[in-house]
Every structure is written in C-alpha cells, then in structure tokens.
Amino acid sequence: MRSIFRRGLLLSGLGLLTLTAQAQTAAATKVNKADSVSLRKIYDEALLRGQSYENLRYLTSQIGGRLSGSPQAEQAVQWGKTTMEKLGLDRVYLQEVMVPHWVRGAKEKAEIKPAKGKGLEMNVCALGGSVGTNGKIKAQVVEVKSWAELAALRDDQVKGKFVLFNRPMNPTFIETGQAYGDAGDQRRNGAIEAAKRGAVGALVRSLTLAHDDFPHTGTMRYDEKVTKIPAAALSTNGADQLSQLLKADPGLTFELEMACETLPEVKSYNVVGEIKGSKYPDEVIVVGGHLDSWDLAQGAHDDGTGCVQSIEALRLLNAAGLKPERTVRAVLFMNEENGVRGGTKYAELAKAAGEKHLAAMESDGGGFTPRGFNIEAPAATVKKVQQWQPLFRPYGSTEFKAGHSGTDIEPLKDQAKALIGYDCDDQRYFDIHHTAADTFDKVNRRELELGGASMASLIYLMSKYGL
Amino acid sequence: MRSIFRRGLLLSGLGLLTLTAQAQTAAATKVNKADSVSLRKIYDEALLRGQSYENLRYLTSQIGGRLSGSPQAEQAVQWGKTTMEKLGLDRVYLQEVMVPHWVRGAKEKAEIKPAKGKGLEMNVCALGGSVGTNGKIKAQVVEVKSWAELAALRDDQVKGKFVLFNRPMNPTFIETGQAYGDAGDQRRNGAIEAAKRGAVGALVRSLTLAHDDFPHTGTMRYDEKVTKIPAAALSTNGADQLSQLLKADPGLTFELEMACETLPEVKSYNVVGEIKGSKYPDEVIVVGGHLDSWDLAQGAHDDGTGCVQSIEALRLLNAAGLKPERTVRAVLFMNEENGVRGGTKYAELAKAAGEKHLAAMESDGGGFTPRGFNIEAPAATVKKVQQWQPLFRPYGSTEFKAGHSGTDIEPLKDQAKALIGYDCDDQRYFDIHHTAADTFDKVNRRELELGGASMASLIYLMSKYGL
C-alpha cells in the first residue's frame, strides 16, 4: 500500500463525517453527544495508556496455564486480587468455591504399530476429565464419522477396540463458533457411546478448522452407568494420517498411555473487584472472564484476555473520570473450563444476598478485533441495548444482536435483566483454542485494547441509563 | 470456552434468523432470495475448495519479494499468467509497461558511536528510492518530532548532521490506515526538508503502531532542486533508543552505509485475465491487486493476498456456475509500490481502446477478515451499492461506506462509474507492512478465503444489475 497521504486525508475526512452521522443518529435515540465524548475518552485512555496488554503478559508468561486446582490457578487468584487492589477500587474480595482437580500427569504417549515395519509416534492429549490408561492400552482402531456409522457396526467390529471419531468441523459456517458447536458432540459423548459398544478407548479428532499437528483438549463426559474408558484428542493431521493408514492396514494396533486422573476437590476462589454506583449502588453490572485455563499452554485468548479486559473496563471508567451511577463489578471466575463452579457460586451468593443485577457481561471468545455484542434478554431489552449501537460505529463495533452470552454468567439468567457476550472476530480462535499454541504472542495489543474499550463503553451506558 | 453445545444450538438458530431477516430486508431492495442463494454458493466454494491460499503459498514462498524490475517480479508475471491460464478463462494476456528499477544493494549498515565506549549496531533499511551513501557517512544526529521543530532549529544545528524524524504514529485513530496517512509526511518529505537545511541524511521512525525491531521501508521523494541525501528507516524501538542516547550524549556519531541505487528502467507487465460477459460483453468490471512487493520479505499481505483474491474471484464465479452478464477482468498490477506505472498504463490502454468500465475493485489492505467495502463514486452510485449490503450480513461483511478505493485503480477515476476498495480488519496490517515480517505465515486461510468470496459476491451483483 502506497498512497498514504491521499488515503490519510480522505479517511480523516471520513472520520469526521462518521462522527457527525453518528451524532445525528444518536440524537434520535436515547444517546447524545455527551455520550459520544465519553466513549471517545474511554477509547483514548485504552489506546494511549492501556494496561491490559502488560497485565496479560504477566498472567500468561509468569503464571501460565492454570487449570482448576493447580498451583498456577492459586497464583492467578493472588495476581487478580493484587492487580485489582492496585486500581484503588471501592472493594476487592475473594469468593470461596470448591473446584474439581483433574491432572494430566507425567505420561501422555501414543504410537501406531503397523502389521509390519516401524511404529509411528502420534501427538495426542487427554481430554479433560478422562481416566488414565493404567499402563498401556494396545488395541485395533475402528473409524467412524457419524453416530449412525457407529450404530451400524457389529459388536465384534467395536468390542476391544479404539473408536476414532473423525468427523471434521464444517468450514461453511461463517462464525467458527457455530462449526465448533456443530462438531462438539464427538468430544463430549464419544467415550460414553464407544464404551456402550465395548470399546477400550475413544480417539477424537480435534475441534478446529485448521490442518495442523496440535491436539486440542477440552471437557468430555462419562455416564455413571457406563464403563469409563480413556478419551484422547488427535490433531487434525494426526486423525487424517491414522485414517489413511487404516485404509491400507485395517489391522494396525494403536498404543495409548495416559497418566491423567481426577484428584479430590480443592478450595479455590472467584476474584471480585467493584466500583460502588454513585446513584444506585444496589444495582449491579457484572463484567468478567474466567481465570482458569487449560494446562497445555498459557491460556492467553482463553481466557486471559477476558480477565484483563474485565479489570481494564473498571480502570478505564475511573481513568476517564466516568464515575458509574450503578455499581460495576469485575469478576474473574474460577473453573469455567471443567465445572463452572465459580459462575454457579457467584449466582448463588448474589441470590442469597438479594443483590439486584442489572446486567452481566462476559468476554470469553478471545481477545480479537471487536465486532459487537451478543445479547441474551427479552426482545424489549435487546432493543434497548441496540439503541446505543450508533455510538459504536466510529469504533467498528457494530453488531448488536441476540445471541449466546457466556458460560460463567449463564447461572445469572433469572437474576439479571440482560446477559451480554462480548463478540469479537473469531476466525483465528479455534486454530489455537485449548492447545499448546494459545500463547501471549497470538494476542495483538490494539485488538485487545479496542475490546476492553468497547466493553467499558457499553457498561458505562448501562450504568448511566439502566435497562 | 466450554459450553459449545448450547452455544452451537443457539448460534445455528441465529444463523437461520439472520438469513430470514436478511431475505426480508433484501425484498425491500433490488436484491432477492435468488441472490442470497448465489452468494451462499460463492462462499461455500471458497471455504470448501478455495485455491487462493495455496496460490499465495507458492507466490510468497517460491518466488518471494518482487520489487519492480527484479527477476522475482518477472517470475511473478509468469506465475500470474500460468495460474490464470489454468482457470480456462476466456482470455489471459500481458500489458507491457516500463517500470523504475531501484535496488537495495548488498550493504545496509548503521552504527551509533558514543563519545566514549563501544559502538552499537542499529537495524535500518533504506527507504525506497533513496540514493546510497557512497561509502560511510559519519555525522551527529539532531532529533525533531514536527516540521515546526525542524524550522525552529538554527542552521548550525542541522548542517552536516542526520535529522531523526521521530514523530510516532497516533494510536487513537481507530483505523490504522488513518494513523498511517497522518504520519506519512515524515517518510515522504523528510529527505527533502532535511537537505534544504544542509543535513547529510534523513533517519525516519518506521510507520507502525507496534513497538519492535523491524524497520519499515516504503517510498520517499526527492525534489530535483534540492540535494539528494540518503534516507533510512529505523525501527520504532531503534528510534526510541537513539532518542534516549541523544539525551545522554548529544554529541554521539551515527554511521550509515547503504549501497542502494536506481538503475535504468525495465520492461515489465500487468497480467490480465477475463471472463466475457454473457449479455453485455462491452461493460467491464475490474478486480485487482498489485503483483510487485517490497524486497524485505515475501509480500504476503502487501499485496500477494490481493492478487490471489482477485484471481480467486473469477474462479469462484465459474465454479459456482454464475456466468457474469458483464465482462469481469482480474488485473495483477505491476509497480504499485514505487511508481504506479501498471495502474496508469492500464487506464491509458482502456481509454485508448474506448473500453467502458462499469466498476474497478482493488484489494490492497491485507488479507484479513472482511469488514465491507469503501466506495469512491457519486452519492447515487454509493447508495446503489449499499442496497446490496443486507445480502452480506450473514457473512459479517457489512460496512459499505464512502472512502478511498485503491492506488492502482485511481487512474480509472474518470473512466469507471465506481471505484471500490475491499475493506478488511486492519489492526494487524501495519505491524508487518513493508517489513521482513510480511510473510505467508501471517495470513489466515479462512480470513483470506472469506475476503475473496466477499469480493466475488459484490462483483457478481454488479455484473447482474449494473450500476
């Protein structure tokens, strides 16, 4: 790209036009010029003096992966508390919660043994919650791409074997989150359905649209009435390779060894920080992300970004001099990945205390360029939130639509007027999601900061106008 | 992120809602259900059987950087021709054009020599078009952050020195292209203004919002009436470091050695491929990117992506069975970076041949997630294009606004009814723009494919309805 001067000029011109257009539209709605100015202050603070990126650097590189029950999860709790205490909020505290404690263990190995010739090592990872193999499991493999294919197999074709669930994610979904939801049943139910047919283990194709060598972990389920068999993820390349080898050599043996296990539950915490509302302190707006993350990497996009953006949202309101009229509370939820105990506990305590929640917002789809917000609320409330969309046009965060909010705030469904999911570009998200590649270097500073600013902006408007 | 099943379900539901909503809106406009179906075909083809990513892999990794006049530029011309010939288009041909031939040369070295102590090597690169240093230039450095600061300096403070132009890009612009345009004057005019004051060289802070060690090249200008002095870019970290050192040791010496030079012009080519219109073959819609790229890396996002997306746009129309009623032409323009000779030549030849151009579209802002289109046309024409926006809602490509189109198609301004710039997320673009980091691995397959599909979709609608 070259003609930057012409371009610069034109675009600056447009910038002004956009603002004017926006101000005009705004006049017709509940918003006004003063709100445009307040949002501009929030974005300027985020882009000029943002702290979320450096906070994320510390959380991901100094603490790293932090699965519930791990020492890193406890370090993260202390980090979250100290980080919010430095902001001079009105109140910072912990909420005790018991969490599951699953550990991957030292060994995680797999090898393909052809009828003749050398073995081939496979890159695998245990799915979260899986039982271990208690030594090595050696068995043949049968591949299926649908539940119907599994049902159509004779018992002797499944009994004593590994079942390879190899249905790829559907790339024609435009939002990758839809493709993820569409393919997730293999990971969730594979071990149960395979065990019902007498299989010794479940091998699941990783939930990603990328073709690479990273196995993706994530939760799986057991049914107490069905034998618990080990479940492991293969990378998409690995699943394709095993599938090819099976065509040539259906009798090949797969060797799996995993030392993962579930230990007794552990005491952990949600971390909460709040700014008291100046006019309506009893009306609460929650903004949060989850503090725990899978153990394979640093939990950068899932969900370090949501945590630092939630903390930043409160900092931005203070730094921009926009004291909220309603109470704004940042919550770093514990145990989203394998239990949602933190989110459940938060809702229980809020109910017990008779707290009135106006809205709850969550950022748990990565820290990429903002697109807008997904609103879970009655139609009239969705409309109310959509009234503010024009204010976000200068910032490109324009998609205000009905949709899923977030796992940690779902338990507040009957207590909050609106549940809101921060929506950002998700094209790259599942390439790294739940893998060793979810690291700090995948996060772009500006994308992260623009997200925090858009979250703070909507929170500011709700704290001023209510819902 | 965990609760994928709930999420998947909800989002699929939403997907349908969106489609319905879109169909309804569409009914009120010039578009209809059949168009929704056609666009879906285009996107499915792109996401299921797209060829742009593998084409880009070859162009960037097998040919690489391809500055005008270089052997790689000529290889790229042959690659473009062969690639389009394989698509079975109605016509593929070359347009001869003479291009400037600037070469970086073997040596590019800089060192800071403090009054006492060891020297410190600096990572620098010559700005495109700069003269060489003809041996080493050793001189002191004076730093300025504005033209006013330069003007305020006494002659003896500038004469015989390097001028360091160190005004940072402004991070508060939301679109990074605006910040780029706003800061570009230093790179463009630094050497002229410094030479007017008797300086021996210009050192320019790289045009990026990132803080790293990559120097960014790009064109600079000379004034025939003013002595031509060498101009080099420092990385943002390098410029900050030099600035710090100058505060402690204003007398430090900067040593610069650059072997760059401008050689005689070379014959090169635009590469053109077209599908003849079934009803109005004489009405032409152009879609293009530029084939040349800076020499420091592979020219992946600038502008390999625009080239492969333009080729893909034609392939998608054919593969989706959407024979265009008007002629659609893909043009790989030569020499956008340092002369725009290809774009100028294309417009000249079109005018001489009396061709009627309906529209020209360019992709030269990177291959990131699509946001929409920037339309350069009379207000009535902009409105006409905006009528189709509802059709793009299911694909998240919704920002149809007036704005700058593209450098290579600007010469068609008086010949085409509309100039259209493909608009994608630009938050990451200037981190790698014109640096050694503009490589294939920075391009995400789906983002690239969604962009090509959105381009093909708008071209299809224009070819069906006209403007």
Side-chain angles (χ1 to χ4, degrees):
Chain A
M1 195 165 84
R2 175 179 156 286
S3 78
I4 57 189
F5 318 105
R6 171 83 183 284
R7 177 184 166 88
L9 204 64
L10 262 170
L11 287 173
S12 313
L14 279 177
L16 297 174
L17 287 175
T18 322
L19 269 170
T20 323
Q22 167 262 312
Q24 286 162 353
T25 330
T29 71
K30 206 173 181 186
V31 298
N32 57 47
K33 193 76 175 57
D35 293 321
S36 318
V37 173
S38 299
L39 263 59
R40 187 67 251 188
K41 281 186 192 162
I42 290 172
Y43 276 87
D44 285 352
E45 175 63 27
L47 293 167
L48 290 169
R49 293 170 291 277
Q51 295 183 5
S52 56
Y53 189 69
E54 289 309 318
N55 283 340
L56 183 66
R57 185 196 302 276
Y58 187 93
L59 176 63
T60 53
S61 59
Q62 299 304 306
I63 298 176
R66 43 201 181 276
L67 193 56
S68 294
S70 67
Q72 294 87 345
E74 294 321 298
Q75 290 169 39
V77 166
Q78 289 314 313
W79 164 86
K81 185 163 178 292
T82 326
T83 304
M84 288 207 269
E85 281 166 349
K86 285 191 200 129
L87 297 183
L89 304 176
D90 297 317
R91 196 169 156 225
V92 177
Y93 57 98
L94 303 181
Q95 290 181 331
E96 187 176 313
V97 58
M98 293 303 289
V99 296
H101 187 197
W102 178 83
V103 293
R104 188 169 298 282
K107 261 219 171 68
E108 206 161 54
K109 249 172 128 294
E111 190 172 357
I112 297 171
K113 303 268 197 188
K116 46 182 91 64
K118 290 182 65 272
L120 172 70
E121 284 224 359
M122 274 255 134
N123 198 5
V124 297
C125 71
L127 291 181
S130 174
V131 296
T133 53
N134 185 20
K136 277 185 190 170
I137 297 179
K138 303 180 192 188
Q140 294 186 332
V141 180
V142 58
E143 174 180 10
V144 297
K145 293 201 169 173
S146 70
W147 301 117
E149 279 185 35
L150 178 61
L153 292 169
R154 294 188 317 274
D155 286 347
D156 64 294
Q157 292 175 295
V158 186
K159 206 165 177 2
K161 296 185 179 175
F162 285 104
V163 176
L164 167 61
F165 293 93
N166 200 15
R167 183 173 100 242
M169 255 164 75
N170 179 350
T172 66
F173 284 101
I174 302 306
E175 290 191 17
T176 57
Q178 296 186 32
Y180 181 65
D182 177 67
D185 53 350
Q186 301 184 113
R187 192 187 82 196
R188 182 177 60 160
N189 298 329
I192 297 172
E193 298 307 320
K196 283 182 184 168
R197 303 297 309 280
V200 295
L203 306 175
V204 182
R205 181 189 184 89
S206 285
L207 292 179
T208 178
L209 288 156
H211 299 275
D212 60 29
D213 300 323
F214 290 104
H216 295 232
T217 190
T219 48
M220 46 80 64
R221 303 187 324 170
Y222 285 122
D223 177 334
E224 289 311 320
K225 292 185 254 27
V226 180
T227 319
K228 297 181 178 179
I229 59 173
L234 303 185
S235 71
T236 48
N237 283 350
D240 290 340
Q241 186 179 19
L242 178 53
S243 178
Q244 285 306 313
L245 292 169
L246 282 168
K247 286 181 182 61
D249 178 7
L252 64 79
T253 312
F254 193 89
E255 273 190 13
L256 181 65
E257 184 169 20
M258 301 194 305
C260 49
E261 60 182 325
T262 299
L263 304 174
E265 296 197 347
V266 171
K267 186 196 292 180
S268 187
Y269 306 89
N270 293 327
V271 186
V272 186
E274 72 179 35
I275 302 174
K276 272 251 163 296
S278 59
K279 267 196 190 168
Y280 315 99
D282 298 342
E283 292 185 34
V284 179
I285 299 168
V286 164
V287 57
H290 64 86
L291 196 49
D292 62 306
S293 80
W294 285 107
D295 55 330
L296 296 173
Q298 301 178 341
H301 277 290
D302 188 13
D303 185 25
T305 51
C307 292
V308 296
Q309 285 175 322
S310 298
I311 297 170
E312 181 78 351
L314 270 59
R315 191 193 71 80
L316 291 173
L317 294 177
N318 277 343
L322 300 168
K323 177 84 178 152
E325 297 183 13
R326 290 165 171 86
T327 292
V328 178
R329 190 180 282 173
V331 183
L332 313 183
F333 296 98
M334 182 52 68
N335 184 232
E336 187 271 353
E337 293 294 1
N338 56 341
V340 202
R341 298 287 187 85
T344 309
K345 171 66 75 171
Y346 178 86
E348 281 170 12
L349 294 174
K351 189 165 208 163
E355 286 180 342
K356 182 181 174 193
H357 276 67
L358 188 76
M361 179 188 291
E362 179 161 11
S363 168
D364 186 21
F368 300 95
T369 301
R371 298 305 303 258
F373 298 94
N374 295 323
I375 308 150
E376 237 178 304
T381 313
V382 172
K383 271 209 161 42
K384 212 161 188 176
V385 177
Q386 286 172 329
Q387 279 194 318
W388 294 313
Q389 186 266 11
L391 280 169
F392 291 79
R393 285 190 198 144
Y395 308 104
S397 190
T398 51
E399 304 197 352
F400 284 46
K401 52 191 185 193
H404 172 71
S405 57
T407 304
D408 295 295
I409 57 177
E410 270 172 9
L412 284 166
K413 201 164 184 47
D414 306 327
Q415 292 159 255
K417 280 192 181 174
L419 304 182
I420 299 172
Y422 165 67
D423 183 28
C424 66
D425 183 347
D426 70 356
Q427 294 306 321
R428 293 166 185 244
Y429 186 56
F430 291 100
D431 294 359
I432 58 170
H433 181 250
H434 294 185
T435 73
D438 185 8
T439 48
F440 180 68
D441 57 291
K442 307 300 189 310
V443 180
N444 176 277
R445 178 171 193 136
R446 281 180 61 85
E447 294 178 4
L448 178 73
E449 291 173 343
L450 288 168
S454 69
M455 291 162 66
S457 296
L458 184 52
I459 288 163
Y460 168 71
L461 293 167
M462 292 191 294
S463 77
K464 178 175 176 184
Y465 295 106
L467 278 178
Chain B
M1 196 165 84
R2 174 179 156 288
S3 77
I4 57 189
F5 318 104
R6 171 83 183 285
R7 176 183 168 90
L9 204 65
L10 262 169
L11 287 173
S12 315
L14 277 175
L16 297 175
L17 286 175
T18 323
L19 267 169
T20 323
Q22 167 261 314
Q24 286 162 353
T25 331
T29 72
K30 209 175 181 184
V31 296
N32 56 47
K33 194 73 178 48
D35 292 322
S36 317
V37 173
S38 300
L39 263 60
R40 188 66 251 188
K41 281 185 191 162
I42 290 172
Y43 276 88
D44 285 351
E45 175 64 27
L47 293 166
L48 290 169
R49 293 170 292 277
Q51 295 183 6
S52 56
Y53 189 69
E54 289 309 319
N55 282 338
L56 183 65
R57 185 197 301 276
Y58 187 95
L59 176 63
T60 53
S61 59
Q62 298 305 304
I63 297 176
R66 43 201 182 274
L67 193 56
S68 294
S70 68
Q72 294 86 344
E74 295 321 299
Q75 290 168 38
V77 166
Q78 288 315 313
W79 165 86
K81 186 161 177 292
T82 328
T83 305
M84 288 208 270
E85 280 166 351
K86 286 191 200 131
L87 297 183
L89 305 175
D90 297 319
R91 196 168 157 229
V92 176
Y93 56 98
L94 302 180
Q95 290 181 329
E96 187 176 314
V97 56
M98 293 303 290
V99 296
H101 187 196
W102 179 82
V103 293
R104 189 169 298 280
K107 261 222 169 67
E108 205 161 56
K109 248 173 133 294
E111 192 173 355
I112 297 170
K113 302 268 198 187
K116 47 180 91 63
K118 291 181 66 273
L120 171 71
E121 284 224 359
M122 273 256 133
N123 198 4
V124 298
C125 71
L127 291 180
S130 174
V131 296
T133 53
N134 185 20
K136 278 186 188 168
I137 298 180
K138 305 181 190 188
Q140 293 186 332
V141 180
V142 58
E143 174 180 10
V144 298
K145 294 202 168 173
S146 69
W147 301 117
E149 279 185 34
L150 178 61
L153 291 170
R154 294 188 318 273
D155 286 348
D156 65 293
Q157 292 176 293
V158 186
K159 208 169 175 2
K161 296 185 180 174
F162 285 103
V163 176
L164 167 62
F165 293 93
N166 200 16
R167 185 173 99 242
M169 256 164 76
N170 179 350
T172 66
F173 284 102
I174 303 305
E175 290 192 17
T176 57
Q178 297 187 32
Y180 180 66
D182 178 68
D185 52 348
Q186 302 185 110
R187 193 187 82 196
R188 182 178 60 160
N189 298 329
I192 296 172
E193 297 308 318
K196 282 183 184 167
R197 304 297 308 281
V200 295
L203 306 175
V204 182
R205 180 188 184 87
S206 284
L207 292 179
T208 179
L209 289 156
H211 298 275
D212 60 29
D213 300 324
F214 289 104
H216 295 233
T217 189
T219 48
M220 47 82 65
R221 302 187 326 169
Y222 285 123
D223 176 335
E224 289 311 320
K225 294 186 252 23
V226 181
T227 318
K228 297 181 177 179
I229 59 173
L234 304 186
S235 71
T236 47
N237 283 350
D240 290 340
Q241 186 179 23
L242 178 54
S243 178
Q244 285 306 315
L245 292 169
L246 282 168
K247 287 181 181 61
D249 177 8
L252 64 79
T253 310
F254 193 88
E255 273 190 14
L256 181 66
E257 183 168 22
M258 301 194 305
C260 48
E261 59 181 326
T262 299
L263 305 173
E265 295 196 348
V266 171
K267 186 196 293 181
S268 188
Y269 306 90
N270 294 329
V271 186
V272 186
E274 75 180 31
I275 303 173
K276 272 250 166 297
S278 58
K279 267 196 189 168
Y280 315 100
D282 298 343
E283 293 185 34
V284 181
I285 299 168
V286 164
V287 57
H290 63 85
L291 196 50
D292 62 307
S293 79
W294 285 106
D295 56 329
L296 295 174
Q298 302 178 340
H301 277 290
D302 189 13
D303 181 27
T305 51
C307 292
V308 297
Q309 286 174 320
S310 299
I311 296 169
E312 182 76 351
L314 269 59
R315 190 194 71 81
L316 291 173
L317 294 177
N318 277 343
L322 300 168
K323 178 81 178 155
E325 295 183 14
R326 290 165 171 85
T327 293
V328 177
R329 192 180 280 172
V331 183
L332 313 182
F333 295 98
M334 180 53 66
N335 185 230
E336 187 270 354
E337 293 293 1
N338 58 341
V340 202
R341 297 287 186 87
T344 309
K345 171 65 75 172
Y346 178 86
E348 280 170 14
L349 294 174
K351 190 165 208 163
E355 287 179 343
K356 181 181 173 194
H357 277 66
L358 188 75
M361 178 188 293
E362 180 161 10
S363 167
D364 186 22
F368 301 95
T369 301
R371 298 305 302 258
F373 298 94
N374 296 322
I375 307 150
E376 238 177 304
T381 313
V382 173
K383 271 210 160 44
K384 214 160 186 175
V385 177
Q386 286 172 327
Q387 276 194 321
W388 293 314
Q389 187 265 11
L391 280 169
F392 291 79
R393 284 189 198 147
Y395 308 105
S397 190
T398 52
E399 305 197 351
F400 283 47
K401 50 190 186 193
H404 171 71
S405 58
T407 304
D408 295 295
I409 57 177
E410 271 173 7
L412 284 166
K413 202 165 184 47
D414 306 328
Q415 292 158 255
K417 280 192 181 173
L419 303 183
I420 299 173
Y422 165 67
D423 183 28
C424 66
D425 183 345
D426 70 356
Q427 294 305 323
R428 292 166 185 246
Y429 186 57
F430 291 100
D431 294 357
I432 58 169
H433 182 250
H434 293 184
T435 73
D438 186 9
T439 48
F440 180 69
D441 57 290
K442 307 300 189 309
V443 180
N444 176 278
R445 178 173 192 135
R446 281 181 61 86
E447 294 178 4
L448 178 73
E449 291 174 344
L450 287 169
S454 70
M455 292 162 65
S457 296
L458 184 53
I459 288 162
Y460 168 71
L461 293 166
M462 293 191 293
S463 78
K464 179 176 176 184
Y465 295 107
L467 279 178

